[in-house]
Every structure is written in C-alpha cells, then in structure tokens.
Amino acid sequence: NDETQRVGISGIEKMYDWIVEKKGRAVVKTKDGGDALVRGVETPEGRYLRAVYNGTWTNDLLNLPKI
C-alpha cells in the first residue's frame, strides 16, 4: 500500500481484483533494483498479473522468490 507502506501476501484473484476493480497499485522490485508496476491482464484463457518496467512487459513476477 503506497499510503501506509503496508505489505502482505494475497492470492492472484484477490490481487487482480484489487488492481483492476479497485484501482490499486502494486509494485515489485526488478533484478536491477527498479520498480515494475503490476497490471491485471485478461485474455480468452483467463485473468493474470503481469509486470511493466520502463514501458516494457516483463516476466519479473515469475522470478520472485517463493515464500
């Protein structure tokens, strides 16, 4: 949360709803220390999350460590 700097763990559906429906803002750190904005993406195959860094779609979410 940008306002409170609160962090947490959420499932994909909950994050998708928060980002897309509630206009939330999620950011992940890239390998080089930058910030990648997380976006909700909907395709005929389903809904998922993807990161955008410097205007380029990335797969940085796949590189996050599992907790």
Side-chain angles (χ1 to χ4, degrees):
N1 183 315
D2 281 343
E3 293 175 12
T4 65
Q5 298 302 308
R6 200 172 102 208
V7 297
I9 299 171
S10 296
I12 293 171
E13 284 295 321
K14 189 173 183 177
M15 284 296 298
Y16 182 92
D17 180 60
W18 181 69
I19 292 167
V20 175
E21 304 300 328
K22 297 182 176 136
K23 309 297 184 218
R25 184 173 183 269
V27 176
V28 295
K29 290 289 182 191
T30 63
K31 290 179 186 178
D32 63 3
D35 290 335
L37 188 59
V38 179
R39 297 281 191 202
V41 178
E42 188 163 357
T43 68
E45 290 81 30
R47 299 186 298 181
Y48 60 98
L49 301 174
R50 192 140 185 225
V52 180
Y53 181 58
N54 284 339
T56 302
W57 291 99
T58 71
N59 289 321
D60 284 337
L61 295 177
L62 298 175
N63 299 323
L64 292 175
K66 297 205 182 214
I67 309 174

